[in-house]
Amino acid sequence: MVRPAQREDLEALAQVLDQPFFRGYGLDRQGALRLLERALMEGELYALDPPLALAWYRPKGGFDRGYLRLLAVAETAQGRGLGSLLVDFLEARGLEFVLAERTNAQALRFYARRGFQEVGRLPGFVRPGREEVILWRGPAT
């Protein structure tokens, strides 16, 4: 069940972000908590019950369109369809754009299977030395 995240979920959701990929962006526990606090204030933060996955969605994000700022599934829960469940939910809310790190082959395959196509790249946009791929699916029809 996808639901809006609450402040009391933040500790558990910070655990979801405790994995090598996010640590590669310099995200430690305190940084994860700050990021999730910001997500609660600036966008729509969604979680699953139990909180094994999260999505930070901005309905008026990139190009004033639905933008997925962050999607994460706990390492122990990957491969169970939880990311797809969240993306299905957000597509119904107008999701059109996502960013994925260029070397994150798993994420690029995941979004390609869902019909997202590369439309550009942003070197150093999120972190120096990293390149983000802009993926667009366009409005649902």
Side-chain angles (χ1 to χ4, degrees):
M1 171 72 73
V2 178
R3 63 173 175 77
Q6 305 297 316
R7 189 160 309 285
E8 55 268 16
D9 296 319
L10 296 187
E11 283 289 337
L13 294 176
Q15 290 290 330
V16 171
L17 295 173
D18 184 20
Q19 47 188 295
F21 179 78
F22 296 108
R23 286 191 295 272
Y25 277 88
L27 199 59
D28 61 10
R29 183 182 166 282
Q30 287 304 314
L33 287 170
R34 283 191 303 273
L35 181 73
L36 294 168
E37 283 279 345
R38 184 174 157 206
L40 278 177
M41 293 172 44
E42 293 181 6
E44 298 178 9
L45 183 62
Y46 294 98
L48 299 178
D49 273 329
L52 294 172
L54 66 94
W56 178 3
Y57 178 65
R58 307 230 20 209
K60 295 291 183 183
F63 306 103
D64 203 33
R65 306 288 181 126
Y67 167 60
L68 179 57
R69 176 125 160 74
L70 176 65
L71 176 70
V73 176
E75 284 185 293
T76 58
Q78 292 178 4
R80 296 187 203 168
L82 302 180
S84 290
L85 185 65
L86 282 164
V87 172
D88 287 344
F89 176 81
L90 295 175
E91 285 177 343
R93 298 184 55 75
L95 173 62
E96 292 185 43
F97 285 96
V98 300
L99 295 182
E101 207 276 334
R102 180 185 55 79
T103 64
N104 189 344
Q106 182 179 1
L108 293 172
R109 283 191 307 272
F110 171 78
Y111 291 118
R113 284 192 308 266
R114 302 193 62 85
F116 286 83
Q117 299 177 13
E118 180 178 334
V119 295
R121 294 192 176 201
L122 298 168
F125 180 71
V126 175
R127 186 160 176 91
R130 300 269 183 146
E131 184 175 45
E132 304 301 318
V133 177
I134 306 168
L135 302 162
W136 180 60
R137 190 185 59 81
T141 55

